[in-house]
Amino acid sequence: MMRTPVIFSGHGSPMIALEHNEITSGMEAVGRHVIDTYGKPKAILAVSAHWYTRGTFTQSAAHPSQIYDMYGFSEELYRVKYPVSGNRELTDQIVSLLGSQVSIDDSWGIDHGTWTVLVHMFPKADIPVVQLSVDGTLTPEQCFETGKKLASLRDEGYLIFGSGNIVHNLRRVEWDNPDGTEMTHAFNDYIINAVTAKQNEKVIHYTEGPEASYAVPTPDHYLPLVYCLGAAGGDSVRVFNNVCNLGSMAMTGFLWSSEK
């Protein structure tokens, strides 16, 4: 069995679930590449910015609920269905690898950070999904180490998937701006260069990057990238969806794999 890749994707506005554009085409292409190259993953471990907790949690529900954890959008968005199952075997593996660090919490489900992207990558909704929370009590270094602990799941056919944004500043959103601000581009380019050069310390210590306080005013959307970086090890990486929009959003994604 080939070692499955690691994916980090920007998700931005929940309306991405309904859109068909350059960004969603990029998501679709990544999903097709995974299926065509590795076959269908056994299940997906999803680290979503929108399950941001004190402590580390994962899920055991056989049929996790789809959460519409966003407000004020068009009614059409709330009719999008992504009815995935859970996977108890993956849950047990997560608990085995993380030990006392993790607890099971089935009060959450599959949130929009996960399903608005996966509806494009894997539209059949036939791959089980288990979420892992972003632990707000951990340092970025500890998030990286958690990702490293989970890396062996890739050898078992599980796909590790993170969803957030390199740049995510809702207070500075410019709804009529189809591009990013200079500050957004500066930080996004800095992190892309660090990831592709495998300069992990720069990604982990992101607060030292240009315009970091603007780009990452809160860590919830950034930290899924750090979990993914830990799980990726020294694998090759390619960038997809290097797009900035709404002024203060970066939709950049990464695919790490053992491919040369």
Side-chain angles (χ1 to χ4, degrees), residues 2-252:
M2 294 178 66
R3 194 179 205 209
T4 55
V6 176
I7 299 171
F8 172 80
S9 177
H11 63 250
S13 167
M15 291 300 288
I16 194 75
L18 296 173
E19 294 170 353
H20 298 280
N21 53 31
E22 175 189 4
I23 295 170
T24 63
S25 293
M27 294 173 178
E28 291 164 7
V30 167
R32 284 195 304 271
H33 174 75
V34 169
I35 298 293
D36 291 346
T37 307
Y38 303 89
K40 188 168 74 172
K42 190 185 298 184
I44 296 170
L45 168 58
V47 183
S48 167
H50 290 278
W51 197 17
Y52 188 68
T53 56
R54 296 189 62 79
T56 298
F57 300 96
T58 192
Q59 304 165 332
S60 66
H63 300 284
S65 59
Q66 181 177 350
I67 299 178
Y68 297 88
D69 54 323
M70 63 281 181
Y71 309 96
F73 293 90
S74 71
E75 195 60 36
E76 185 182 5
L77 182 60
Y78 301 93
R79 293 196 293 268
V80 174
K81 302 298 181 186
Y82 196 73
V84 292
S85 64
N87 185 286
R88 185 66 203 218
E89 181 182 346
L90 175 53
T91 300
D92 292 343
Q93 292 260 41
I94 294 167
V95 171
S96 176
L97 292 170
L98 297 186
S100 60
Q101 178 184 343
V102 68
S103 302
I104 291 175
D105 180 359
D106 287 327
S107 66
W108 198 246
I110 308 303
D111 62 53
H112 85 267
T114 296
W115 61 259
T116 61
V117 178
L118 294 187
V119 73
H120 295 292
M121 286 187 179
F122 306 109
K124 294 181 180 179
D126 60 349
I127 305 172
V129 177
V130 176
Q131 287 202 182
L132 181 79
S133 71
V134 176
D135 187 344
T137 70
L138 299 183
T139 64
E141 291 91 342
Q142 291 170 319
C143 293
F144 180 81
E145 291 301 319
T146 301
K148 286 176 66 175
K149 292 178 184 177
L150 296 167
S152 62
L153 293 170
R154 302 172 57 197
D155 297 317
E156 306 296 325
Y158 298 110
L159 177 71
I160 296 177
F161 165 75
S163 177
N165 295 92
I166 291 176
V167 180
H168 183 272
N169 189 335
L170 289 180
R171 292 177 179 269
R172 303 290 293 272
V173 161
E174 301 171 6
W175 294 106
D176 296 327
N177 187 350
D179 196 357
T181 63
E182 288 186 11
M183 292 180 287
T184 294
H185 281 286
F187 187 80
N188 185 56
D189 290 346
Y190 173 82
I191 296 299
I192 288 174
N193 291 336
V195 171
T196 54
K198 299 184 180 179
Q199 295 173 327
N200 291 349
E201 289 300 310
K202 286 187 176 181
V203 184
I204 293 168
H205 300 292
Y206 65 90
T207 56
E208 298 172 12
E211 309 294 350
S213 60
Y214 168 91
V216 190
T218 58
D220 47 334
H221 277 69
Y222 184 84
L223 289 178
L225 170 62
V226 181
Y227 282 87
C228 288
L229 193 69
D235 278 3
S236 300
V237 62
R238 70 177 177 88
V239 181
F240 67 96
N241 284 347
N242 183 5
V243 177
C244 299
N245 59 22
L246 299 178
S248 57
M249 293 282 181
M251 294 298 293
T252 307

